[in-house]
Amino acid sequence: MKKLTRGLVVAVTLVSFLSACGKSATINESTPGAAASPAGTSSIDSTSKELTVYTALEDDAIKSYLASYKKKYPDIKLNIVRDSTGVITAKLLAEKDNPQADVVWGLAATSLLVLDQSNQLEPYAPQGVDRILPEFKDKNVPEHWVGIDAWETAFIVNKTEMEKRKLPIPESYADLIKPEYKGLITMPNPSSSGTGFLTVSGLIQLEGQDKAWNYMNKLHDNVAMYVHSGSKPAKLAGTGEYPIGISFGYRGLQEKKNGSPVEVVFPKEGSGWDVEANALIKKKTIKQVSQQFLDWAVTDEAMKEYNKNYAILAIKTDNSQLPEGYKVDPMKQLIKNDLNEIAKNRASILAEWDQRYNTKSEPK
């Protein structure tokens, strides 16, 4: 099985912002700390005090994440638009000709790559971006997106319910298709959930197209319902309604911390994963506060908050640590993952998945 190397995470502090004199300034250089359109004609609004942020970050974490931003920029009005990865991605694509968001914060890198293919991202290179390893940033210079952390597939299993049924806790993808687990599993719909998509795309990269779809046919027989949130399977496992939830590590650990009788299992074959990343939305006029937000979003202060929930950061300082509940280095769990290739195939993967399995999805 192919794994990523331990050296994926590096230390970096990104703390720059673009200063502009007057109402606006024309940007015509692709230098760190500057936005640059292909024609070099983007202008900067240095007076706006309002910012619209689209995000797929967990809603119960956003408040703590924003604490240091609000302390630094107390006069900025933030309009936070939060939804699942699939919904936010579809919303941004639909708004291509009339963009409403100023920045995207914490959306799957595979979604941002799709937006970039649609020419919706404005290049922006924060100072220090060269210290982030390639797996956590766009390959273009200046970068079109920059990552903040990564999350991975995990099984959240209710131990009490499994004991009642005298069933063992599944430890692998192979275990999940055993007949004794029929009707006990929930999984995120990949069209609406980033966790669902990274799980499906991870299986494809682990097994190849044919074997992966054959496996998912068997898994489908055991799935009771596909839900529209990456965290919901963990919550359902926590209550025992459906004792096995395919979700992501952090959400399972939160359920366990909150008292649910669950075990968080990382599949033996390795976990699919994606990067939560930030980007500047392409507009005729770019707000300076947008650039300031993106600079703040990768500072040490912000990273410290992300690290409370996610073990894998785009930067690593001497103070970085595994969140409570992780027993080993999670980097060893991640499969080899080509985000660019997956983004190119996203539409066809989702179309195939919908055709095969969408009949078991919960109503939207």
Side-chain angles (χ1 to χ4, degrees):
M1 177 169 38
K2 298 179 179 179
K3 303 279 185 173
L4 286 182
T5 60
R6 180 185 293 269
L8 182 63
V9 183
V10 297
V12 62
T13 303
L14 306 176
V15 290
S16 68
F17 69 89
L18 176 66
S19 298
C21 298
K23 173 69 177 180
S24 65
T26 298
I27 302 301
N28 52 24
E29 293 183 81
S30 298
T31 56
S37 68
T41 57
S42 294
S43 62
I44 301 297
D45 177 357
S46 62
T47 63
S48 178
K49 299 295 183 181
E50 186 169 352
L51 185 63
T52 298
V53 180
Y54 281 18
T55 182
L57 294 169
E58 288 295 294
D59 51 6
D60 55 1
I62 290 173
K63 183 177 180 180
S64 62
Y65 287 174
L66 286 174
S68 64
Y69 176 84
K70 291 182 176 180
K71 184 177 180 180
K72 187 172 183 179
Y73 300 107
D75 57 336
I76 303 302
K77 178 184 178 182
L78 289 179
N79 303 314
I80 303 294
V81 178
R82 191 270 164 196
D83 215 312
S84 62
T85 299
V87 173
I88 290 294
T89 304
K91 186 174 178 64
L92 287 162
L93 288 169
E95 294 173 354
K96 177 181 178 180
D97 295 329
N98 185 27
Q100 302 300 303
D102 295 308
V103 299
V104 180
W105 175 39
L107 187 66
T110 47
S111 288
L112 290 177
L113 284 162
V114 171
L115 293 170
D116 201 28
Q117 292 166 12
S118 188
N119 196 33
Q120 291 180 247
L121 302 184
E122 182 76 15
Y124 182 66
Q127 290 185 9
V129 72
D130 57 314
R131 297 166 64 190
I132 297 180
L133 286 181
E135 292 86 347
F136 275 96
K137 65 181 180 181
D138 180 43
K139 298 182 183 300
N140 291 294
V141 179
E143 286 73 12
H144 296 198
W145 59 269
V146 175
I148 55 176
D149 56 49
W151 82 111
E152 72 295 285
T153 300
F155 310 152
I156 318 305
V157 185
N158 189 300
K159 295 183 291 183
T160 302
E161 293 298 318
M162 299 303 278
E163 289 170 2
K164 288 180 181 178
R165 292 171 169 82
K166 297 182 179 181
L167 291 175
I169 292 176
E171 297 182 351
S172 64
Y173 287 117
D175 286 343
L176 290 184
I177 61 175
K178 293 179 178 178
E180 55 262 39
Y181 299 123
K182 187 177 182 65
L184 303 183
I185 302 171
T186 61
M187 174 181 167
N189 182 317
S191 292
S192 51
S193 163
T195 301
F197 183 68
L198 68 86
T199 298
V200 170
S201 64
L203 286 167
I204 290 172
Q205 292 191 93
L206 273 170
E207 301 291 342
Q209 289 274 352
D210 292 342
K211 288 185 178 180
W213 290 117
N214 286 336
Y215 170 82
M216 284 186 274
N217 287 341
K218 297 174 184 177
L219 178 63
H220 179 68
D221 291 338
N222 283 358
V223 170
M225 178 173 58
Y226 299 103
V227 299
H228 297 294
S229 162
S231 59
K232 188 170 182 178
K235 296 174 183 177
L236 292 170
T239 63
E241 184 175 353
Y242 295 99
I244 303 172
I246 300 175
S247 185
F248 58 102
Y250 156 64
R251 179 49 67 181
L253 294 172
Q254 285 295 102
E255 287 294 320
K256 188 173 183 178
K257 184 178 180 180
N258 292 336
S260 297
V262 298
E263 186 72 24
V264 180
V265 179
F266 296 99
K268 287 183 177 180
E269 297 92 339
S271 293
W273 59 279
D274 207 333
V275 176
E276 289 190 315
N278 312 327
L280 191 63
I281 294 297
K282 185 182 292 295
K283 289 184 169 184
K284 292 180 180 179
T285 300
I286 302 296
K287 295 177 182 178
Q288 185 177 2
V289 292
S290 299
Q291 298 172 334
Q292 291 172 346
F293 184 91
L294 292 174
D295 290 335
W296 161 82
V298 288
T299 59
D300 283 347
E301 292 86 357
M303 287 289 170
K304 183 178 179 180
E305 292 300 316
Y306 306 146
N307 194 206
K308 292 179 181 178
N309 301 325
Y310 292 92
I312 305 169
L313 299 179
I315 67 171
K316 186 175 179 65
T317 69
D318 292 338
N319 296 322
S320 296
Q321 57 186 356
L322 293 180
E324 183 180 351
Y326 280 91
K327 298 178 181 179
V328 297
D329 182 359
M331 295 303 304
K332 296 179 179 179
Q333 179 64 27
L334 305 185
I335 66 168
K336 185 177 180 180
N337 199 2
D338 188 335
L339 296 177
N340 284 281
E341 187 66 21
I342 287 298
K344 290 178 183 177
N345 296 324
R346 183 177 185 272
S348 61
I349 291 171
L350 293 178
E352 182 71 18
W353 190 95
D354 285 343
Q355 181 180 5
R356 289 171 179 256
Y357 314 122
N358 199 38
T359 55
K360 283 190 179 180
S361 290
E362 66 176 345
K364 290 186 178 180

